Amino acid sequence: QTLLDEQSSLAVAMQAVAERFCDLVLLVHADLLVCVEGVAAGSVFGRPALGQRFMDLVVDADRGRLEEALGRATSSRIPTCLQVTLVGQKAREANLLITDTGANRPKFIVGVSLEQEAHALETDGCLRTEVRAGLAQQIAEFNEGASESNFTGEIFEACGLDTVARLGKAEGWWINPREIRITSPALVLGRGAFAVVSAAI
């Protein structure tokens, strides 16, 4: 019962995270049919996702990897990330955040974050100037005696996670999820209030 309660709490928390940080959230039953779709689903896929097979929403080449990711999320009970190409009016790169709910209906919560167009990131000079200015101010305050433990939090609060993430992609220090492989079986190095740290290669 304790394990079920923990899994339920994790699912609720991860759905809240996905709704806050992802462009779209899908709920998927154990039979892999989409049972709830976010309001943006029609514009992303070019048709309603409700009642569709989840596997049919990604390109053929990514379906095997998606099946493995769903299996990892279930066996490890740890949310799993995967980069895929979505099928729609035009193919779009996206990052999926997959959480097993511990139930069958729905079985998975899937957050979908759409990749920005590369040229938009490269030409977004105003964004980079704004973020750099914010970072410079935060660094100056840190050097004047701000608490080291609060430093990163202050930067993210000042600039916003989305802005920092976009800057990371534009500057080339954002790690592509395709370049990371979680060890199998998963080796958990640590746990915190909001995240799990696992070994990767």
Side-chain angles (χ1 to χ4, degrees), residues 113-194:
S113 294
L114 301 172
E115 287 284 320
Q116 301 275 342
E117 296 291 336
H119 69 272
L121 292 171
E122 291 166 3
T123 59
D124 199 351
C126 294
L127 165 71
R128 283 185 263 179
T129 301
E130 172 192 327
V131 174
R132 284 186 181 131
L135 291 175
Q137 179 182 353
Q138 292 296 318
I139 290 167
E141 290 174 6
F142 173 69
N143 289 335
E144 291 172 6
S147 165
E148 184 172 357
S149 63
N150 292 331
F151 180 54
T152 304
E154 290 170 2
I155 289 175
F156 278 82
E157 186 175 328
C159 302
L161 178 60
D162 293 341
T163 302
V164 173
R166 288 176 62 201
L167 175 67
K169 290 178 184 178
E171 294 292 328
W173 44 261
W174 179 280
I175 299 174
N176 186 325
R178 289 182 194 256
E179 297 174 5
I180 300 172
R181 295 286 180 260
I182 302 295
T183 58
S184 181
L187 174 60
V188 176
L189 302 176
R191 295 178 190 270
F194 298 101

Side-chain angles (χ1 to χ4, degrees), residues 25 28 40-41 52 57 90 93 97 104 149 156 165 181 201:
V25 178
V28 180
Q52 299 289 323
L57 301 178
K90 66 173 189 171
E93 295 296 311
L97 174 63
N104 284 325
S149 63
F156 278 82
R181 295 286 180 260
I201 54 173

Side-chain angles (χ1 to χ4, degrees), residues 33-91:
L33 292 180
V34 176
C35 60
V36 175
E37 62 180 357
V39 293
S43 63
V44 171
F45 300 111
R47 65 180 194 266
L50 190 64
Q52 299 289 323
R53 285 190 69 249
F54 183 46
M55 292 293 184
D56 293 340
L57 301 178
V58 303
V59 296
D60 290 345
D62 287 338
R63 289 178 185 167
R65 293 173 48 248
L66 176 55
E67 188 172 0
E68 289 174 7
L70 293 168
R72 277 198 311 274
T74 297
S75 62
S76 69
R77 297 196 315 270
I78 297 173
T80 299
C81 294
L82 181 69
Q83 188 173 37
V84 297
T85 302
L86 301 176
V87 174
Q89 292 174 329
K90 66 173 189 171

